[in-house]
Amino acid sequence: MAQIPNLDNAPVNLASLREQSQKDLLNILKNIRGKKCLVIDPKIGGSLSLLIQTSLLRENDAELRHLSAEPVQTECSKILYLVRPQINLMKFISSNIQYDLSKGVQREYFVYFVPRRTVVCEKIFEEEKVHHILTIGEYPFYLLPLDEDVLSFELDLAYKECYVDGDTSSVWHIAKAIHKLEFSFGIVPNVRAKGRAATKVADILNSLQVEEPVNAADMGIPEINTLILLDREVDMVTPMCFQLTYEGLLDEILQINNGSVEVDGTVMGQQDGKKIKVPLNSSDKLYKEIRDMNYEVVVQVLRQKATSIQQDYAEVKSTSQSVSKLRDFAKKLYSVPEIARHVNLAHHLQSFTCKPSFHARLDIEQTILELQNFEACFEYIEEMIHKQEPLVNVLRLLVLFSITNSGLPKKNFDYLRREILHSYGFEHMPTLYNLEKAGLFKKQESKSNWLTIARALQLIVEDTETANPNDISYIFSGYAPLSIRLIQHAIRSGWRSIEEIMKLLPGPHVDLKRGASSYSSLDANPIFQSNLDRVADGRRSLALVIFIGGVTYAEIAALRFLSSQEGMGYDFIVGTTKMVNGTTMLETLMMNNV
């Protein structure tokens, strides 16, 4: 199965976006005549694997290398660096070039920034005295389709940059990417944003429309009807919860990277233990069917499918079948490799989910979400620290505990902070500082409003039906993601109906009707009509939902579920700075440790 996802069933023509990005890259290669060495920033390498086949790059006389501190080993006289504008990467490039110069090697050097050049990076080249021998360009790669309804801006550090470092360059990047989309699909008429970064994106989007206007008259009816921008900061509870959909669990346990998981061959039933990559996207029809189901249900579905084929096989062997029945059976056999693949993966996941510690973890999560038994939750986290469980696992529950309680009382906060440093080492002080700065682990300064929010938005749902769900709470077996409840309200009746709850959540919220010279807050726009969102000709409307700071697979599953509900009338495309889970998010805040 192809690593590059099939986009034929996308609600808008995402394939054209991908083709344009491919074309832009191939043009860069063609403009550098002859044989060249393409040195790729490793992070971009993963993204490019979902964009273009490496054989196409080789056909354009490019041999591939990954950028590192080590000198580039190549016979080519032309070297093309494809990199994000990051200072450490500029230093790698400079040292590579200086090494060549010290050896008397003469080459032509090209640096293409993804998606745009920055003054800071060019300054590094000047300081390192290599600027004069470089040809500098840009590769405007802003959006990567991960699947037929998911787009990524590939901004791994957006959350940390926005909420810890105070660097809002990713906000500009997102606005620019949306504006580029509008040149393909028309001006989005309705924009709703919640959070500091989200409202800033809406603001920049307005400015870009003034500077580089999309001609609405030429575009006809916009293909995307509504844009919802949501800061990750608005709902940090959901990513800290352990995902219980099949796809979410695969990400939690095996970590989905660039649309695939890497596992030992033995997991997939092979004799040798070599690592193999298993692609995971909508091209796999069975995966598309089961990815968003609660994990417990997936095991039953796979068992039924395997049993059905077994029974058909027994029938074919024991009786003489008509040609048409044999043909039907042969069609079923095509799905056997897919079934085997997911049976193997599900069996591997089960080795984790059957452990008592897994269920204990889910129980304590539920207790924290319901704001029950503070002491029991505190002691559970304390015990994790004393057992020296992986620090990121401790922090994940600690952050959930802190957010739902609006911080911890000073005595508890100081105690847990001290215990973490004693157990894991004082080199983790920067991590605790980052968590505090982002408001994820802090001292309690006011009474918690979590239960008020949870009750008003029906976030905790008892007796959730996971096999035949009728609500998004099936995703976490009883917890409905706050972020998706907000989107539900934004689509159905607007945020005005939950105005008081919106004020309890971080950051401002705005509602923008495009074409106006500015946008106003919902306070200043009391008459909100959700029917303004409906497209004129009765087609299903399309909403682009963008998460600034990352989205989980569980939240995407919840949006797909909403879209499938009777009377919804909306399809969703999800845009995100990066696919995340609680662990990968917290790891970005732990990166500065020595």
Side-chain angles (χ1 to χ4, degrees):
M1 191 176 71
Q3 176 88 0
I4 296 176
N6 185 322
L7 303 176
D8 292 349
N9 294 320
V12 291
N13 190 359
L14 297 182
S16 66
L17 294 179
R18 186 167 67 191
E19 283 158 18
Q20 187 57 52
S21 294
Q22 289 171 348
K23 195 173 161 188
D24 290 345
L25 180 55
L26 293 175
N27 282 341
I28 291 168
L29 292 176
K30 283 170 185 166
N31 289 337
I32 300 170
R33 294 184 183 281
K35 200 160 174 53
K36 75 278 297 178
C37 180
L38 175 59
V39 183
I40 302 173
D41 163 358
K43 283 282 183 193
I44 290 175
S47 306
L48 290 184
S49 70
L50 294 178
L51 178 75
I52 193 165
Q53 302 283 6
T54 50
S55 57
L56 261 179
L57 300 176
R58 292 196 182 100
E59 280 170 25
N60 284 273
D61 289 330
E63 62 176 52
L64 303 181
R65 299 283 186 276
H66 275 137
L67 177 62
S68 70
E70 298 300 311
V72 178
Q73 301 297 326
T74 180
E75 299 293 314
C76 296
S77 61
K78 295 174 182 177
I79 296 186
L80 164 60
Y81 293 96
L82 197 64
V83 290
R84 292 164 299 152
Q86 292 198 350
I87 289 170
N88 63 322
L89 301 179
M90 302 309 106
K91 292 189 172 170
F92 285 169
I93 293 170
S94 301
S95 73
N96 279 192
I97 294 170
Q98 285 159 351
Y99 176 83
D100 282 354
L101 295 174
S102 72
K103 297 290 180 188
V105 178
Q106 287 197 326
R107 289 186 170 126
E108 288 181 66
Y109 301 97
F110 303 82
V111 175
Y112 273 76
F113 287 105
V114 184
R116 63 189 183 115
R117 63 207 287 174
T118 63
V119 174
V120 176
C121 287
E122 292 190 50
K123 195 94 180 132
I124 299 287
F125 290 142
E126 285 173 19
E127 287 168 6
E128 298 288 340
K129 299 185 171 50
V130 295
H131 196 269
H132 63 289
I133 54 171
L134 288 175
T135 303
I136 291 176
E138 293 179 340
Y139 173 38
F141 179 40
Y142 284 92
L143 273 173
L144 175 69
L146 296 181
D147 214 326
E148 57 193 29
D149 58 352
V150 184
L151 295 167
S152 174
F153 304 108
E154 295 296 279
L155 298 167
D156 299 33
L157 302 176
Y159 178 80
K160 179 176 183 285
E161 286 169 354
C162 283
Y163 299 110
V164 177
D165 304 335
D167 173 1
T168 56
S169 54
S170 56
V171 170
W172 186 92
H173 179 120
I174 294 160
K176 182 74 176 170
I178 297 167
H179 194 54
K180 277 192 79 170
L181 277 179
E182 291 187 314
F183 278 101
S184 297
F185 307 123
I187 298 173
V188 183
N190 307 294
V191 179
R192 276 164 219 134
K194 172 64 177 169
R196 290 177 290 168
T199 49
K200 187 73 180 157
V201 169
D203 198 11
I204 296 169
L205 204 51
N206 255 5
S207 304
L208 288 172
Q209 176 58 16
V210 173
E211 292 163 22
E212 308 168 49
V214 176
N215 192 331
D218 293 347
M219 300 297 295
I221 297 172
E223 291 186 60
I224 299 169
N225 180 255
T226 302
L227 170 65
I228 298 172
L229 296 153
L230 206 60
D231 275 27
R232 186 71 274 173
E233 181 190 43
V234 173
D235 173 20
M236 278 299 288
V237 167
T238 298
M240 295 304 132
C241 294
F242 207 87
Q243 302 171 80
L244 296 177
T245 58
Y246 178 51
E247 186 167 43
L249 206 56
L250 281 168
D251 187 47
E252 295 282 7
I253 293 170
L254 297 173
Q255 201 170 331
I256 299 172
N257 214 346
N258 300 310
S260 64
V261 288
E262 194 171 68
V263 292
D264 285 337
T266 49
V267 169
M268 303 308 289
Q270 295 182 4
Q271 294 304 310
D272 59 30
K274 280 184 186 169
K275 293 273 186 191
I276 56 171
K277 277 191 175 178
V278 183
L280 298 169
N281 58 50
S282 298
S283 306
D284 176 341
K285 290 189 177 70
L286 176 58
Y287 185 62
K288 187 176 179 178
E289 180 189 336
I290 64 176
R291 69 198 300 180
D292 301 325
M293 292 177 178
N294 189 287
Y295 174 68
E296 291 172 4
V297 179
V298 167
V299 176
Q300 295 162 23
V301 169
L302 290 173
R303 188 180 293 120
Q304 284 163 6
K305 286 184 181 292
T307 306
S308 167
I309 286 178
Q310 259 182 333
Q311 287 169 348
D312 287 353
Y313 177 64
E315 209 174 299
V316 165
K317 272 182 74 178
S318 61
T319 60
S320 56
Q321 299 283 330
S322 68
V323 173
S324 65
K325 284 201 171 178
L326 283 172
R327 193 179 61 190
D328 290 343
F329 177 64
K331 273 185 190 170
K332 272 194 172 183
L333 288 179
Y334 282 122
S335 66
V336 169
E338 288 183 355
I339 294 171
R341 181 187 305 134
H342 293 294
V343 165
N344 286 328
L345 285 173
H347 183 259
H348 183 60
L349 294 182
Q350 221 164 16
S351 65
F352 293 88
T353 59
C354 66
K355 290 177 181 172
S357 58
F358 176 78
H359 293 282
R361 158 74 193 255
L362 295 184
D363 288 344
I364 205 74
E365 253 182 34
Q366 197 64 26
T367 307
I368 291 172
L369 288 170
E370 292 173 7
L371 235 54
Q372 302 279 336
N373 205 333
F374 182 94
E375 284 306 317
C377 298
F378 180 82
E379 284 166 16
Y380 187 94
I381 294 168
E382 182 186 22
E383 192 179 334
M384 285 178 82
I385 295 168
H386 293 161
K387 284 181 180 172
Q388 288 215 307
E389 291 195 25
L391 179 58
V392 73
N393 294 356
V394 174
L395 294 179
R396 203 165 153 173
L397 268 187
L398 185 58
V399 166
L400 187 63
F401 192 40
S402 177
I403 294 171
T404 51
N405 284 281
S406 287
L408 302 183
K410 185 179 184 306
K411 181 181 75 171
N412 303 93
F413 174 85
D414 289 341
Y415 174 77
L416 288 178
R417 200 173 185 281
R418 190 168 61 246
E419 289 301 295
I420 286 169
L421 294 175
H422 282 162
S423 287
Y424 297 95
F426 283 85
E427 67 269 24
H428 292 287
M429 280 185 81
T431 295
L432 296 178
Y433 169 77
N434 287 345
L435 290 173
E436 202 169 344
K437 195 167 181 192
L440 300 178
F441 174 45
K442 61 179 188 177
K443 290 176 193 156
Q444 196 176 61
E445 290 168 1
S446 58
K447 192 169 174 286
S448 169
N449 53 30
W450 172 250
L451 279 183
T452 307
I453 295 165
R455 283 176 188 140
L457 297 177
Q458 294 177 292
L459 302 184
I460 311 297
V461 180
E462 289 182 26
D463 305 321
T464 302
E465 178 61 63
T466 54
N468 296 299
N470 57 9
D471 182 70
I472 57 171
S473 55
Y474 86 91
I475 298 284
F476 289 99
S477 298
Y479 163 66
L482 166 58
S483 55
I484 310 303
R485 280 284 195 245
L486 293 179
I487 291 161
Q488 228 175 337
H489 278 277
I491 290 293
R492 284 188 170 153
S493 55
W495 283 332
R496 180 141 191 88
S497 61
I498 52 165
E499 182 69 24
E500 293 310 308
I501 296 300
M502 293 297 283
K503 287 176 183 172
L504 297 178
L505 296 167
H509 54 287
V510 299
D511 173 42
L512 162 64
K513 298 295 174 200
R514 303 296 289 288
S517 58
S518 64
Y519 62 82
S520 59
S521 78
L522 290 175
D523 285 330
N525 191 9
I527 302 167
F528 184 93
Q529 295 173 304
S530 61
N531 63 355
L532 287 174
D533 298 346
R534 303 286 173 220
V535 285
D537 60 3
R539 286 180 296 122
R540 281 173 72 84
S541 299
L542 182 60
L544 173 60
V545 180
I546 289 179
F547 291 82
I548 302 167
V551 69
T552 63
Y553 287 100
E555 287 166 303
I556 293 176
L559 281 175
R560 288 179 183 140
F561 176 80
L562 276 188
S563 179
S564 70
Q565 294 304 284
E566 203 176 325
M568 170 46 84
Y570 264 88
D571 289 320
F572 296 101
I573 293 180
V574 177
T576 180
T577 46
K578 193 71 181 170
M579 291 306 309
V580 296
N581 58 45
T583 299
T584 56
M585 283 200 81
L586 291 175
E587 280 170 351
T588 65
L589 302 182
M590 298 168 75
M591 279 169 54
N592 289 342
N593 294 340
V594 180

